[in-house]
Amino acid sequence: MTDVLKVQDLRRVCGVLLDMVEERFGAEIDLSRVGVDLYWNVDLGTAFESRDVPKSGIDVGQSSDDVAELQALLRRPADDVPVLWHDLQHLAGVLRLLAYLDLPAVSAGES
């Protein structure tokens, strides 16, 4: 296991994967046709405190809210500093949706 996460490598990986998403699903994904919006979410504190089985910390996320928050981030004034933990969670929600859409059963229309 490597102990170093290089942001430049992460940026390159995101580019490669998003290029593949665009190739597979097109430049725009109509969320109204996806058929899902809500998903189970484990809050960050619970997700990374893996010593005990969580008694709470599981809630519901919403893909449409994730997309709306990311679009709002793009419209913010340049001097409005993103709240990294919050905005990255919305990005993670969208990336999880893209991963879900690529599952074999979902791609075949069996969801």
Side-chain angles (χ1 to χ4, degrees), residues 12-83:
R12 287 180 48 217
V13 165
C14 286
V16 166
L17 294 175
L18 290 174
D19 286 348
M20 185 172 241
V21 165
E22 187 172 20
E23 183 179 306
R24 185 157 297 153
F25 300 110
E28 295 182 357
I29 299 169
D30 184 352
L31 296 179
S32 67
R33 301 187 73 190
V34 168
V36 297
D37 191 23
L38 302 176
Y39 59 88
W40 292 113
N41 182 58
V42 178
D43 74 68
L44 287 173
T46 301
F48 287 92
E49 291 294 329
S50 61
R51 285 174 257 150
D52 299 313
V53 175
K55 295 181 175 91
S56 64
I58 297 174
D59 59 17
V60 176
Q62 188 172 14
S63 297
S64 57
D65 179 59
D66 293 333
V67 171
E69 286 289 330
L70 294 177
Q71 290 171 339
L73 182 146
L74 294 174
R75 291 189 304 269
R76 291 181 196 160
D79 62 345
D80 189 354
V81 178
V83 179

Side-chain angles (χ1 to χ4, degrees), residues 93-107:
V94 170
L95 293 175
R96 287 179 50 102
L97 173 65
L98 294 173
Y100 171 77
L101 293 177
D102 195 53
L103 286 174
V106 174
S107 298

